[in-house]
Amino acid sequence: MNSVLYVVSTPIGHLDDITRRAVTVLESVDWVAAEDTRHSQRLLEQLGIRNRLISCHDHNESQRSAELVERMQNGEKGALISDAGTPLVSDPGYRLVRACQDAGIAVVPVPGASALLAALAAAGQPSDRFVFEGFVPSKGAPRQQAIERLAAATVTSIIYEAPHRVLSFLQALSGVVEPDREITLCRELTKQFETIRRGPVSELCEWVSQDSNQQRGELVLVLSPAADTAGWSDRDQALAKLLLAELPASRAAKILAAHTGLKRQAVYALLEAMNS
């Protein structure tokens, strides 16, 4: 196949998680576009692959895409990789993939390791429906709004967080979710110090605060869905419907929280479930 870009998944930790197809593709293409060429050079050397690496990252992707598209239009085959896992998942690559499609160049995925799917598979949380949040904002009102949105989500949520911010994230989250709301911390997946632990948000918050090792390395958090309305009385649900008909959900949640004794954010999550 001429004029093709392969989007290749690479290991997130354990080298043996590379697929045979990925190795074949990385050996056979004319070049490999990589987020960090120095990091990717080490990976190729470990796999015994010699190939040309071309940088393609957040700061040069728009310009680089035009160059790579021109190469492929002239008959070259290329591969796109990220530092680890599946490209485009909280990593660069969207602009290049879109530019290839717009130019009529085939984009072929080569599936493999993915931190978010590995975490979901091992988290012990409902997996029939989920949302990938990626990295939440690092500070200020946008961060708090993202945390409140996650607290209200009625499906399982998958979050990436920086190790130096994971404790503050758990502290903020524990203040707005139901006491029994569970979260799974997945750290250093497929690496030497892999850690997977599930429990109430407040419990994991305390654990992380007491063990600084849990504030290191690559982290994925899997948050269970917000409670549904099954535990509400018919009278509470009737009142909620009346309030929602007249007020924004945030205002209705404040009133219902005072009425039921539940946390405002927990009530807000229930109202969101009623509206969905």
Side-chain angles (χ1 to χ4, degrees), residues 75-246:
E76 293 185 359
K77 299 177 183 178
L80 171 67
I81 62 175
S82 66
D83 286 350
T86 301
L88 279 76
V89 182
S90 286
D91 280 325
Y94 155 77
R95 295 178 183 86
L96 176 58
V97 167
R98 192 174 181 89
C100 288
Q101 292 172 337
D102 290 344
I105 296 168
V107 177
V108 178
V110 181
S114 169
L116 80 91
L117 293 179
L120 181 64
Q125 306 283 18
S127 58
D128 53 334
R129 295 177 63 217
F130 64 90
V131 61
F132 175 56
E133 179 71 20
F135 286 96
V136 297
S138 61
K139 57 185 178 180
R143 181 174 177 84
Q144 185 60 32
Q145 290 166 3
I147 289 171
E148 292 189 358
R149 183 174 65 252
L150 289 165
T154 56
V155 297
T156 296
S157 301
I158 303 173
I159 307 110
Y160 287 171
E161 185 54 290
H164 64 281
R165 290 196 296 266
V166 66
L167 180 57
S168 68
F169 175 84
L170 292 170
Q171 289 170 335
L173 186 63
S174 65
V176 293
V177 296
E178 312 91 311
D180 60 347
R181 187 81 169 271
E182 287 190 333
I183 193 166
T184 305
L185 183 146
C186 303
R187 188 176 71 88
E188 293 289 89
L189 288 171
T190 81
K191 301 182 179 73
Q192 180 180 358
F193 298 106
E194 178 178 270
T195 304
I196 300 171
R197 179 163 172 172
R198 175 172 55 85
V201 175
S202 58
E203 178 184 298
L204 261 67
C205 182
E206 182 178 0
W207 172 58
V208 170
S209 70
Q210 294 178 354
D211 185 355
S212 61
N213 286 327
Q214 307 313 319
Q215 300 174 49
R216 299 174 182 171
E218 305 273 340
L219 290 162
V220 186
L221 300 165
V222 185
L223 179 65
S224 65
D228 59 28
T229 57
W232 278 25
S233 69
D234 291 342
R235 185 174 180 179
D236 289 339
Q237 292 193 47
L239 177 59
K241 290 177 181 178
L242 289 172
L243 290 171
L244 283 174
E246 301 294 334

Side-chain angles (χ1 to χ4, degrees), residues 34-45 53 83:
E35 185 180 1
D36 182 337
T37 55
R38 290 174 297 180
H39 176 91
S40 296
Q41 183 64 53
R42 291 193 294 271
L43 172 66
L44 295 188
E45 288 174 354
L53 284 165
D83 286 350

Side-chain angles (χ1 to χ4, degrees), residues 13-41:
H14 200 297
L15 185 64
D16 288 348
D17 288 337
I18 192 78
T19 67
R20 287 186 293 179
R21 184 183 178 203
V23 171
T24 299
V25 167
L26 294 175
E27 288 175 330
S28 64
V29 293
D30 296 290
W31 43 262
V32 178
E35 185 180 1
D36 182 337
T37 55
R38 290 174 297 180
H39 176 91
S40 296
Q41 183 64 53

